[in-house]
Amino acid sequence: MHLAYPAVLSALLFCTGLYGVLARRNAILVLMSVELMLNAVNLNLVAFDVWLSRAAEDTLHSGQALTLFTITIAAAEIGIGLAIVLAVHRNRGTSDVDRLRDTAEGHDPDQDSPAAGQAEKAEATA
């Protein structure tokens, strides 16, 4: 098999994951898109390892070993990421990324709006 086939598939997977990270607002879908990007990198590592081992007559397979480490780290990352998303969802009631910009405790998003500022000024002058 040529090296171009897994490289093109990996590029498509990575671009799909990148689109998911940039376009999605749900934190769980963003984490899934990051995992898709990591899988694209793993596919590249294995494809280049096989290609280089044929060219150099090397049987070390360091690309495949690095892929196993990457999969292990990705599994730990998704576990911690899901725990954080669940904790934030319990505290805030949403997993929408746009609504979770400010992580300060006790922050009221209505205070930052211009209408709330004008209402406070009207109450202060009355």
Side-chain angles (χ1 to χ4, degrees):
M1 181 179 355
H2 295 288
L3 183 62
Y5 297 134
V8 168
L9 179 63
S10 176
L12 290 174
L13 283 174
F14 192 85
C15 289
T16 305
L18 186 64
Y19 173 75
V21 168
L22 296 176
R24 299 291 180 186
R25 295 295 152 228
N26 190 350
I28 294 175
L29 292 178
V30 170
L31 285 173
M32 288 174 61
S33 298
V34 169
E35 288 296 317
L36 194 62
M37 292 167 60
L38 283 172
N39 286 330
V41 170
N42 288 337
L43 180 62
N44 256 345
L45 282 171
V46 171
F48 276 99
D49 178 53
V50 169
W51 182 67
L52 289 174
S53 66
R54 284 185 194 164
E57 300 296 328
D58 185 20
T59 58
L60 190 58
H61 298 297
S62 58
Q64 293 178 12
L66 186 59
T67 298
L68 288 175
F69 286 118
T70 306
I71 290 171
T72 305
I73 291 171
E77 173 257 333
I78 199 69
I80 292 171
L82 282 175
I84 291 170
V85 167
L86 284 175
V88 167
H89 190 294
R90 285 182 184 163
N91 288 336
R92 300 273 175 116
T94 183
S95 62
D96 189 10
V97 176
D98 288 337
R99 295 176 129 187
L100 301 177
R101 285 186 318 185
D102 190 21
T103 58
E105 292 292 326
H107 176 74
D108 187 15
D110 293 333
Q111 289 179 353
D112 290 340
S113 67
Q118 292 173 356
E120 288 176 6
K121 288 179 187 177
E123 288 176 4
T125 57

